[in-house]
Amino acid sequence: MLAGRLHLGPERRLELAEVPVPEPGPDHVLIKVEAAGVCLSDVHLIDGTLTPLFLNGDTVTLGHEVAGTVHTLGPGVTGPKVGDRVLLQAGEQRNGAVYTRGVDYDGGWAEYALARTDTLVPIPDDLPFEQACFIPDAVSTPWAAITTTAEVRPAEPVGVWGVGGLGAHAIQLLRLVGAAPIIAVDPLPAARQRALEFGADLAFDPAEPDLRTKIYAATHGTGLAAAFDFAGVAAVREQAVVCLGPGGRLVLVGLTDKPITVTGGTAFSFFGQQLRGHYGSSPEHVDQLVRLQSLHRIDFARSVSAVVPLADAEKAVHALEAKQGNPIRIVLKP
């Protein structure tokens, strides 16, 4: 079968190669992959910004956003049935640690992928695979950040810095939970327009010299209850923190190895503001989103920026890295 293999080492490289179709063991099934998302994390794995923690060896099939059908059951497996439509949780618990699919073990940039049975999430017949595949991570990460880490409540004013794949979904989800107003901040005019189309009440350029004044005016002088950094950029965090109101939470979703600086430390303490780190999501967040989608509370059709053949995975990575067409999610189809 064809697979997108990341070779680690001094010169990392992505290679499309023919590899044997894996065979499922106990507690596992073989999935016929129908769609797999291309995430910025995949780009960072290729460029060396991210490195697998638990990978056994120096080669791995990428892809942690995966949907398809159950193809073959492992020995003694009961419950799943051949032909079941499923998405795969982006990782699994092993020995008290979270192993990430497509990072610490082979993922879904392939024609077939192995999956432990407890990572299968059934999906409705009317949910296309191309939309289902990126619910784990691209949607579940902002959902977990909003509902669990930031604990956003109805009518709270919020700010979203960075309207890429995660930020665009965050705006939809913040509207779902009743946050108001929702203020998007992004340097790209197309991203700001997209933010408004996805449900933001206002969209600003971070270069505006009076941004803080405008945000305070939009929140009737209270400032933001929660601000989300989806960019992982120091300047974003410094800008967002001064837009917080009393008790405001700055949630760091975008990843960076750079130092975290809080300007105006005295005010930060006086107003009881908080800095909260966030990473990924838990299985229940994915389950919640599938239930919401099955009731048509959320729609991911606009999130599919392009569907490209698995054989063109390298082109998809370059397109995402260069932000060609300002993509939300590029999806690979074997």
Side-chain angles (χ1 to χ4, degrees), residues 7 37 95 97 104 123 155 157 159 171 195 199 209 215 257 262 265 285 290 329:
H7 294 263
N95 303 319
D104 300 307
I123 57 175
I171 288 169
I215 288 178
D257 292 331
V262 175
H285 296 114
V290 171
R329 259 309 175 266

Side-chain angles (χ1 to χ4, degrees), residues 269-328:
S269 295
F270 180 80
F271 289 111
Q273 295 165 341
Q274 300 175 20
L275 193 64
R276 300 185 182 183
H278 180 83
Y279 184 82
S281 62
S282 297
E284 63 265 24
H285 296 114
V286 174
D287 294 336
Q288 291 166 2
L289 288 164
V290 171
R291 287 200 299 274
L292 288 167
Q293 196 286 330
S294 68
L295 294 168
H296 304 288
R297 302 292 178 87
I298 43 182
D299 178 17
F300 305 126
R302 292 179 296 177
S303 300
V304 182
S305 303
V307 179
V308 302
L310 173 61
D312 291 336
E314 291 184 81
K315 294 179 182 178
V317 168
H318 292 316
L320 179 61
E321 192 172 22
K323 298 184 178 179
Q324 295 174 9
N326 192 23
I328 298 178

Side-chain angles (χ1 to χ4, degrees), residues 101-127:
R101 189 183 309 278
V103 180
D104 300 307
Y105 61 100
D106 285 343
W109 286 15
E111 294 178 73
Y112 296 90
L114 291 178
R116 208 168 70 186
T117 54
D118 61 352
T119 66
L120 305 181
V121 180
I123 57 175
D125 290 340
D126 62 354
L127 175 59

